[in-house]
Amino acid sequence: MRKIIIAIDGYSACGKSSTAKTVAKALNYTYIDTGAMYRAVTYYFMEVKFISLTNEKEIQRALGEIDLDFRYNAKTMMNEICLNGASIEHEIRKMSISEKVSEVSTLKQVRQFLVAQQQKMGKRKGIVMDGRDIGTVVFPQAELKIFMTADIMERAKRRQQELLAQGQLVPLEEVLDNLKKRDFIDSTRTESPLKQAVDAVVVDTTYVTLDEQVEYILQLFNATIARQIQGQS
Ligand code: DC
């Protein structure tokens, strides 16, 4: 079976991870949530080591102490991010991490550290990776690139529901504010800002169900494979 890389980039809370996860399952591909990796580093920096984000030496030292991997949890039936062997899936979704993650993601040392690991994970292809710079920086050669977007109010409502499902009741205004702040930092930072790759297909999820998004991406996947086969014959 031919294997490709599917890169899914886009704004926070527009359905990237649910879509990527379902597409990966349908294709029997590996799903990698790179946002979870930035969140895990943020958690270590801010809630374990309390380091200063302007001290490059401290940052480098802390990065050297971080070992990240994804492990399957049979109970939740989910791949969970582990930091030095322990799952921190729940901790990284807290608002305190969301408040800091965009700032940590602007750091060049952090990006180099994580991008190298992400590129290694995609070596054998057969991967669906979501994030902000996957189609532009991590895998500019990805065979299929998607850029997801949605109306900000819709995104805020969806994120609020996700938080509620995890037991966190956060006012809509606060969620909306956080998304706006993160959109701004993510798209204006110097190091690999969020932007649409020229060869990405835009998917606006405002009025589209998860099933429809997945169906559309699977159609694009089939078309990509068909093109590859044609190109070889
Ligand atoms: O996908 P998410 O909301 O969990 O991502 C959290 C933050 O991580 C997001 O605000 C920006 C950063 N991020 C990034 O800079 N590059 C990526 N490839 C993925 C996430």
Side-chain angles (χ1 to χ4, degrees):
M1 239 294 249
R2 231 164 247 272
K3 298 243 182 222
I4 65 166
I5 294 177
I6 304 178
I8 303 187
D9 289 305
Y11 296 99
S12 306
C14 53
K16 291 190 305 296
S17 47
S18 319
T19 307
K21 226 178 277 176
T22 317
V23 167
K25 200 165 178 198
L27 298 174
N28 205 12
Y29 273 27
T30 303
Y31 164 61
I32 302 291
D33 172 1
T34 64
M37 299 171 80
Y38 286 91
R39 286 173 179 270
V41 169
T42 305
Y43 170 76
Y44 191 70
F45 281 10
M46 310 312 295
E47 299 196 5
V48 179
K49 284 282 156 167
F50 309 101
I51 68 165
S52 151
L53 296 183
T54 52
N55 186 330
E56 289 188 10
K57 265 197 186 150
E58 258 187 67
I59 292 172
Q60 210 51 48
R61 192 174 323 122
L63 287 175
E65 296 161 2
I66 293 177
D67 178 44
L68 295 179
D69 68 333
F70 289 92
R71 293 189 194 166
Y72 184 71
N73 179 336
K75 241 192 206 162
T76 57
M77 294 200 299
M78 259 177 53
N79 261 343
E80 297 187 345
I81 189 148
C82 295
L83 169 71
N84 298 334
S87 171
I88 50 162
E89 188 61 41
H90 191 66
E91 286 80 350
I92 62 163
R93 308 288 165 196
K94 290 187 306 190
M95 276 308 275
S96 59
I97 299 298
S98 298
E99 291 290 349
K100 278 285 177 190
V101 65
S102 282
E103 195 182 337
V104 172
S105 308
T106 62
L107 302 171
K108 192 175 183 167
Q109 291 159 284
V110 172
R111 303 206 72 81
Q112 283 174 342
F113 175 75
L114 292 180
V115 167
Q117 297 185 26
Q118 291 154 8
Q119 288 174 333
K120 225 167 158 188
M121 292 169 176
K123 268 232 163 90
R124 279 190 277 157
K125 304 204 175 191
I127 196 164
V128 183
M129 193 174 272
D130 81 16
R132 304 294 186 288
D133 58 344
I134 312 305
T136 50
V137 175
V138 183
F139 296 122
Q141 79 287 14
E143 291 86 349
L144 177 58
K145 298 181 188 178
I146 310 290
F147 189 85
M148 282 177 70
T149 177
D151 172 75
I152 185 124
M153 203 48 166
E154 187 58 33
R155 287 161 52 206
K157 285 185 197 155
R158 289 181 196 167
R159 180 49 54 90
Q160 190 190 35
Q161 285 305 311
E162 276 172 26
L163 288 165
L164 199 58
Q166 294 159 14
Q168 299 181 65
L169 178 60
V170 185
L172 192 61
E173 277 308 304
E174 193 181 324
V175 179
L176 188 62
D177 247 35
N178 175 257
L179 288 183
K180 282 184 184 163
K181 227 190 280 164
R182 285 206 285 143
D183 281 357
F184 179 75
I185 302 176
D186 295 347
S187 3
T188 57
R189 68 183 175 218
T190 327
E191 292 298 324
S192 8
L194 165 66
K195 63 170 190 246
Q196 188 191 323
V198 283
D199 49 350
V201 179
V202 178
V203 176
D204 184 329
T205 70
T206 313
Y207 304 108
V208 182
T209 65
L210 175 66
D211 285 351
E212 288 167 334
Q213 290 162 42
V214 170
E215 185 54 40
Y216 182 50
I217 294 174
L218 290 176
Q219 281 172 17
L220 293 172
F221 168 83
N222 288 331
T224 307
I225 296 288
R227 263 200 313 277
Q228 280 196 342
I229 294 171
Q230 265 173 8
Q232 279 194 343
S233 58

